[in-house]
Amino acid sequence: MTDAAAPPQLQTEEAVKNYYGKKLNKATDLKTNACTSQPCKFPKFIRDAMSQVHEEVTSKYYGCGPVFPPAVTGATVLDLGSGSGQDCYVLSKLVGADGSVVGLDMTDEQLAVANKYIDYHTKLYGYSSPNVSFVKGYMEKMEDAGLESNKFDLIVSNCVINLSRDKRAVLKEAYRILKEGGELYFSDVYADRDLPPNIREHEELWCECVVGALYWKDLYKLAKEIGFSTPRLVTAGLFSIEDKEYKDFLGDAHFVSVTYSLFKLPAQPCATSTVVYNGGIQGHEEAFAFDYSITFKKGEECHVKPELASILTNSRYSKYFTIAEGESGPCKCAKLEKDPFEYCTERGNKKGCC
C-alpha cells in the first residue's frame, strides 16, 4: 500500500497554493474535468441554498462532487480545503442558526473571498450572529490551527485530500477531531492503480487533482489502520482526460470521482439490530438512501449487521430510527469494498458535472 505521496522534488504545498491562489481566477480556468466529474441530483432545498451563495464565491469554486450529507440540522461541521467558501455557506444555511460551520484552508486569496461574505450571508439567512467562520491552516496539522479533539459531528471535503502529500496524516487528524459517532463525508479522485513516481511528478496534474489520487483500494486499508469504519461508497462518476498530451503522459491509468462516508465508532460494536426508519430527514421524508445500495424506507422493519447498527446507534442519524437488538425483517447490507469503476459501469458509465 502507498499513500499516493508526491516525489520529494515536487513541492506540493507551494504548488497548490500558487495554483489555487494565483493561477486560477475562475472554475473555467481548470485544465481537466476532474473537479466537475460527478453527476448530481440535489434536492430542491439544497439547490435553493446553492442559488443564494454570492456570485463571487461560486465563481472561484473548484470541487468534484456533492458534500452535503443528510441530516445536518444543528450539526457542527468542518470543511477541509474550504476555498472560496461555497460549500461552507450552503452548509451554513442547512445546519441552521443552532449549527456551526468552520472552513479550513491554506490559501490567503481564497480565504479573503470567503471571509468577505460572512456578514452578507448571515443577514441573508436571517441569523442574529454568524454561524460560519474560516481558519487558515493545513489539514495535515489541524491541531496547529486550533481545531480541538472530539469537536465536530461531521467533516466534509470536496476534491482536496488528494492534493495532500500525506493523506494518512489528514485522515488521522480527521479521526482525532471527530466526536464519537462523527462522520467524514468527502468527495475525491481515485485511480484504478497505484501510479508510478514519474507520473506523480507532474505538477499541473497534481494541482488538477489527478496524479495525487489514491488507488481506491488503499483508502480501505488506510481507514482500517486509523480506526474508521469501513468506507461506504455513496456515489461515483467517471471522468476522462481530454488533452492528448495529458492522456499520453498518463498512459492506461483511469480515474473516478467518488463520494465516501467513514465513521468514528466506539471500540465496542453493537450487535446485529432491527431498525425502522421513522422519517424526518429533510429531502428523505419517505426513503433515506444511506449509501450506493442501501435505502431505508419509512416504516419498514429490517435488520442491519453490527457495523451499520453501530453507525445508526451512535451517529446523528440515531434520532431518526427506532433500534432494537435482533434480526427481524429483511437484511439491509451491501458489498462494502465496492469497486467504484465497476459501480460506474453498472450505472452505464455515467459522467456529469455538478
Side-chain angles (χ1 to χ4, degrees):
M1 182 187 72
T2 72
D3 299 334
Q9 62 269 31
L10 178 55
Q11 301 301 313
T12 57
E13 184 180 297
E14 290 305 313
V16 171
K17 273 187 180 180
N18 182 65
Y19 202 71
Y20 287 90
K22 296 180 171 61
K23 189 167 184 178
L24 298 182
N25 293 308
K26 52 189 182 302
T28 53
D29 291 336
L30 290 162
K31 300 294 182 63
T32 72
N33 68 345
C35 289
T36 54
S37 57
Q38 281 197 45
C40 310
K41 294 182 179 178
F42 293 117
K44 185 177 183 302
F45 73 96
I46 293 180
R47 298 197 307 270
D48 289 345
M50 293 175 72
S51 71
Q52 291 183 292
V53 178
H54 194 279
E55 182 181 358
E56 184 178 0
V57 173
T58 60
S59 72
K60 296 180 181 296
Y61 173 75
Y62 318 109
C64 74
V67 288
F68 309 124
V72 299
T73 303
T76 55
V77 184
L78 173 67
D79 182 8
L80 298 180
S82 51
S84 64
Q86 174 177 291
D87 291 342
C88 286
Y89 285 124
V90 174
L91 288 162
S92 169
K93 175 73 170 179
L94 299 181
V95 302
D98 294 331
S100 64
V101 181
V102 177
L104 177 75
D105 204 273
M106 67 178 183
T107 309
D108 289 329
E109 292 85 353
Q110 291 281 77
L111 286 166
V113 174
N115 278 302
K116 182 178 177 181
Y117 293 101
I118 291 177
D119 288 344
Y120 170 88
H121 292 94
T122 301
K123 293 175 183 175
L124 181 67
Y125 300 156
Y127 298 158
S128 59
S129 59
N131 70 345
V132 62
S133 61
F134 297 94
V135 177
K136 183 176 181 180
Y138 302 94
M139 53 190 171
E140 303 88 349
K141 300 177 181 178
M142 289 188 257
E143 190 168 11
D144 292 348
L147 299 178
E148 302 169 6
S149 299
N150 307 307
K151 181 178 177 62
F152 293 94
D153 300 306
L154 177 65
I155 299 174
V156 299
S157 178
N158 195 333
C159 203
V160 171
I161 294 176
N162 64 14
L163 293 172
S164 173
R165 67 184 303 118
D166 191 350
K167 296 166 179 61
R168 178 183 277 103
V170 177
L171 293 177
K172 285 181 70 175
E173 277 290 86
Y175 188 87
R176 177 184 66 82
I177 65 175
L178 280 172
K179 298 175 183 177
E180 189 169 88
E183 179 183 19
L184 172 60
Y185 184 101
F186 70 111
S187 296
D188 227 329
V189 174
Y190 295 87
D192 65 347
R193 65 198 68 196
D194 182 32
L195 302 175
N198 68 300
I199 284 183
R200 296 201 187 280
E201 290 174 1
H202 197 296
E203 181 174 310
E204 189 165 72
L205 282 174
W206 186 283
C207 294
E208 288 271 341
C209 303
V210 178
V211 299
L214 271 175
Y215 175 36
W216 69 269
K217 288 188 176 182
D218 284 344
L219 174 67
Y220 288 83
K221 297 172 184 175
L222 275 175
K224 183 176 181 180
E225 175 188 315
I226 290 164
F228 277 111
S229 66
T230 307
R232 290 177 178 268
L233 188 155
V234 179
T235 188
L238 294 174
F239 69 89
S240 58
I241 306 295
E242 303 300 334
D243 183 280
K244 185 179 186 305
E245 182 182 344
Y246 287 166
K247 287 176 70 173
D248 291 344
F249 178 77
L250 292 167
D252 295 330
H254 295 92
F255 301 89
V256 64
S257 169
V258 191
T259 297
Y260 280 112
S261 170
L262 291 70
F263 288 84
K264 178 180 178 178
L265 298 176
Q268 183 64 38
C270 294
T272 296
S273 299
T274 295
V275 302
V276 178
Y277 174 52
N278 299 317
I281 298 178
Q282 187 176 13
H284 304 265
E285 287 80 5
E286 298 301 320
F288 168 35
F290 178 75
D291 62 19
Y292 79 97
S293 69
I294 294 177
T295 295
F296 296 100
K297 296 179 181 179
K298 183 179 178 180
E300 177 190 40
E301 186 178 67
C302 56
H303 72 272
V304 295
K305 295 179 179 179
E307 185 178 82
L308 184 49
S310 190
I311 290 171
L312 297 179
T313 299
N314 293 283
S315 71
R316 67 187 187 281
Y317 296 125
S318 63
K319 63 185 176 182
Y320 301 101
F321 284 83
T322 299
I323 304 172
E325 288 191 11
E327 297 188 16
S328 296
C331 180
K332 292 287 186 180
C333 56
K335 180 180 179 181
L336 292 183
E337 197 168 321
K338 178 67 174 178
D339 183 337
F341 294 90
E342 178 185 276
Y343 167 77
C344 290
T345 299
E346 292 168 354
R347 298 175 68 244
N349 292 314
K350 288 188 178 180
K351 304 175 185 177
C353 172
C354 294

